[in-house]
């Protein structure tokens, strides 16, 4: 236990070092290229050196199935989100995105006003790209691995399962919000620069939206009839590629025939992969959801000054999302409180509460009379049996030896691989 306590402050220092070294990419790229591999190598070696002495591998093995299930669930939710992002951008066509004005955002006005009032040094700090989405993911991976050093309550896979499960739920709720009502982007040029979809609206929008988009009389008549009545303008026909069993995605993704030499056209996967973080406003912010879930995980699993520092980074990220017009203020505000509420409702997956000691105290309260009676009768064996029942270890018998070491090595490799993929796949949300 003393050794475990000696690492308590080290996790916060490691997190600070990671953020500082990675920010060198802005102020000194040369030192960033030199120090980043050294820091990552140190983290990997430290985790590998502690793995053979980790006392809770049995608990990790029992949690592995739920971890994998939550991972699959989160990946499925991300696929649904990617399809939905492409749909809400493609359904109205590129011309709509270019021509539609951004919504008025008082949060953006406030930040512009503060630029005129605050000292220039403070403004430069607020503008600085201190932390990005992949940093929050890496900070969570560091938190999960800290179970090896006794900084966080085991099992680490349980903490990871809760994070991914909460992330999946949050992404599904986000899909429901931005698909329900399509809002224009705060960056009108974004869709034309990033998406390869038709300029004209989808037949659904041609029929149900375009005739009533700007004509107040048509809208009034629509309310009276509660059915469509306006004529539909002429538009080019829709391109329908040959995607086989995935052809049901054509109406949602609306691809263009970018390769005329290919009869089947661009694959559905390449079309979907280009969606990225979307261009029209996606309520609520996915960046803020990730950052808040990371901050909540640190607050519960490793409370202290480091968690407070991460919350400051979350606030910095929030104002940058608004300042750089990646999102409206409402997306950031909703993302913050949705992330907090979701994390608090998924404690059944993993919790930092020492349920073992709570159970033991309740069990002792139930057995107190039996222990007192056995002691009064001088039945030492009965007293010893009751105490042994209370002191049963948390980790029951399970795999041991090389099986646990191989399992630990696989967990380290898989998690580090996920961390590297996070750096390359999540830069845009």
């Amino acid at each position: 236990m003393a050794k475990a306590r000696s690492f308590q402050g080290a996790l916060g220092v490691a997190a600070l070092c990671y953020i500082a070294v990675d920010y060198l990419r802005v102020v000194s790229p040369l030192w960033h290229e030199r120090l980043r591999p050294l820091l990552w190598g140190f983290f990997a070696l430290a985790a590998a050196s502690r793995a053979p002495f980790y006392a809770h591998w049995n608990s990790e093995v029992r949690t592995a199935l739920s971890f994998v299930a939550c991972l699959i669930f989160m990946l499925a939710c991300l696929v649904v989100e990617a399809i939905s992002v492409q749909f809400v951008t493609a359904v109205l066509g590129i011309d709509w995105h270019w021509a539609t004005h951004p919504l008025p955002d008082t949060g953006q006005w406030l930040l512009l006003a503060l630029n005129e009032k605050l000292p220039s040094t403070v403004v430069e700090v607020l503008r600085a790209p201190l932390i990005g989405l992949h940093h929050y993911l890496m900070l969570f991976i560091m938190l999960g691995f800290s179970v090896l050093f006794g900084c966080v309550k085991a099992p680490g896979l349980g903490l990871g399962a809760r994070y991914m499960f909460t992330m999946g739920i949050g992404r599904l709720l986000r899909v429901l919000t931005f698909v329900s009502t399509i809002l224009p982007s705060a960056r009108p040029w974004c869709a034309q620069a990033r998406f390869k979809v038709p300029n004209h609206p989808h037949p659904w929008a041609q029929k149900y939206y375009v005739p009533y988009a700007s004509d107040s009389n048509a809208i009034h008549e629509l309310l009276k009839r509660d059915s469509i009545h306006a004529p539909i303008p002429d538009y080019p026909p829709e391109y329908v590629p040959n995607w086989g069993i995935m052809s049901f995605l054509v109406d949602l993704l609306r691809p263009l025939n970018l390769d005329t030499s290919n009869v089947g056209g661009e694959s559905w996967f390449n079309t979907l992969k280009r969606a990225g973080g979307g261009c029209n406003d996606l309520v609520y912010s996915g960046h803020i959801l990730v950052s808040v879930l990371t901050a909540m995980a640190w607050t519960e699993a490793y409370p202290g000054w480091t968690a407070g520092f991460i919350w400051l980074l979350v606030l910095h990220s929030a104002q940058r999302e608004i300042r750089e017009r990646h999102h409206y203020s409402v997306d950031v505000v909703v993302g913050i409180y949705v992330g907090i509420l979701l994390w608090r409702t998924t404690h059944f997956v993993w919790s930092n509460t020492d349920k073992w000691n709570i159970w033991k105290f309740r069990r002792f309260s139930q057995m107190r009379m039996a222990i007192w009676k056995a002691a009064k009768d001088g039945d030492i064996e009965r007293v010893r049996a009751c105490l042994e029942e209370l002191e049963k270890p948390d980790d029951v018998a399970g795999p041991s030896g090389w099986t646990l070491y191989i399992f630990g090595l696989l967990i380290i490799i898989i998690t580090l691989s996920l961390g590297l993929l996070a750096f390359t796949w999540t830069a845009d949300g």
Side-chain angles (χ1 to χ4, degrees):
M1 184 63 69
K3 290 183 178 180
R5 289 196 185 99
S6 65
F7 291 107
Q8 285 296 319
L11 180 57
V13 175
L16 273 181
C17 290
Y18 165 67
I19 296 297
V21 168
D22 209 66
Y23 186 65
L24 289 176
R25 72 194 185 281
V26 178
V27 297
S28 179
L30 179 61
W31 278 103
H32 176 252
E33 292 298 323
R34 291 176 177 175
L35 294 179
R36 184 176 64 171
L38 294 177
L39 185 65
W40 285 20
F42 174 77
F43 288 160
L45 288 175
S49 64
R50 290 289 300 178
F53 308 102
Y54 182 48
H56 303 286
W57 279 122
N58 288 328
S59 178
E60 302 289 349
V61 171
R62 294 198 303 270
T63 316
L65 185 59
S66 62
F67 177 85
V68 173
C70 290
L71 174 61
I72 295 173
F73 171 71
M74 183 188 69
L75 293 176
C77 294
L78 291 175
V79 171
V80 172
E81 183 187 45
I83 294 173
S84 302
V85 166
Q86 176 80 10
F87 166 72
V88 296
T89 303
V91 69
L92 291 172
I94 295 298
D95 290 342
W96 180 86
H97 291 274
W98 183 256
T100 305
H101 300 297
L103 299 175
D105 188 347
T106 54
Q108 293 169 357
W109 304 347
L110 175 62
L111 291 175
L112 289 174
L114 289 176
N115 288 346
E116 301 173 354
K117 304 294 184 181
L118 296 175
S120 58
T121 304
V122 176
V123 175
E124 290 304 315
V125 171
L126 294 176
R127 291 171 176 169
L130 298 180
I131 189 169
L133 184 64
H134 59 280
H135 295 103
Y136 290 111
L137 295 174
M138 193 64 182
L139 284 172
F140 178 77
I141 291 175
M142 293 173 62
L143 181 69
F145 267 95
S146 68
V147 296
L148 296 174
F149 303 91
C151 299
V152 172
K153 178 178 174 291
L157 290 183
L159 177 59
R162 180 178 179 182
Y163 188 80
M164 293 186 295
F165 180 75
T166 310
M167 184 78 69
I169 296 295
R171 293 289 176 167
L172 288 182
L173 291 177
R174 183 179 185 233
V175 167
L176 291 177
T177 56
F178 70 69
V179 168
S180 300
T181 302
I182 299 176
L183 302 178
S185 174
R187 294 183 164 199
W189 64 87
C190 177
Q192 189 173 38
R194 292 176 54 186
F195 280 77
K196 304 299 181 184
V197 296
N199 292 328
H200 59 278
H202 190 282
W204 300 335
Q206 295 172 22
K207 184 177 182 180
Y208 301 110
Y209 171 72
V210 173
Y212 314 97
S214 58
D215 188 342
S216 58
N217 292 326
I219 297 175
H220 186 268
E221 189 66 23
L222 178 66
L223 293 176
K224 289 175 58 179
R225 299 187 183 188
D226 193 26
S227 62
I228 59 173
H229 63 277
I232 300 174
D234 292 330
Y235 289 100
E238 293 288 295
Y239 168 63
V240 182
N242 180 18
W243 285 352
I245 61 174
M246 304 300 292
S247 294
F248 69 93
L249 290 177
V250 172
D251 272 344
L252 299 176
L253 305 184
R254 297 192 74 200
L256 289 176
N257 190 9
L258 301 177
D259 186 5
T260 56
S261 63
N262 186 356
V263 178
E266 185 182 53
S267 69
W268 67 271
F269 181 76
N270 289 333
T271 301
L272 186 60
K273 186 171 63 174
R274 199 187 305 110
C279 273
N280 58 304
D281 187 54
L282 304 177
V283 185
Y284 39 85
S285 171
H287 286 73
I288 297 303
L289 176 66
V290 173
S291 64
V292 168
L293 291 184
T294 300
M296 288 298 292
W298 276 76
T299 301
E300 180 173 341
Y302 192 75
W305 66 268
T306 313
F309 173 70
I310 293 177
W311 275 110
L312 289 178
L313 293 177
V314 171
L315 296 177
H316 187 276
S317 299
Q319 62 88 30
R320 276 190 60 217
E321 288 289 301
I322 301 170
R323 180 185 299 276
E324 298 172 6
R325 293 197 169 215
H326 295 295
H327 280 282
Y328 295 114
S329 300
V330 62
D331 309 329
V332 171
V333 173
V334 174
I336 290 175
Y337 68 68
V338 166
I340 293 174
L341 292 176
L342 284 179
W343 184 262
R344 290 193 176 277
T345 56
T346 56
H347 60 84
F348 60 90
V349 180
W350 179 93
S351 175
N352 198 40
T353 303
D354 197 341
K355 296 179 180 179
W356 169 250
N357 283 335
I358 293 176
W359 177 89
K360 189 162 59 175
F361 175 78
R362 291 175 179 173
R363 182 63 174 159
F364 175 77
S365 298
Q366 296 172 355
M367 298 177 61
R368 182 177 56 182
M369 291 302 298
I371 296 175
W372 182 81
K373 185 177 184 302
K376 183 179 180 180
D377 295 341
D379 190 350
I380 303 301
E381 292 299 325
R382 176 59 180 165
V383 173
R384 183 182 293 112
C386 291
L387 293 177
E388 288 178 352
E389 185 175 349
L390 286 176
E391 296 299 329
K392 285 181 180 178
D394 184 27
D395 285 338
V396 296
S400 59
W402 285 105
T403 302
L404 291 179
Y405 294 153
I406 294 174
F407 175 80
L409 182 62
L410 288 176
I411 291 298
I412 292 175
I413 293 174
I414 292 173
T415 309
L416 291 179
S417 299
L418 290 175
L420 293 175
L421 290 176
F423 278 89
T424 57
W425 286 0
T426 62
D428 54 7

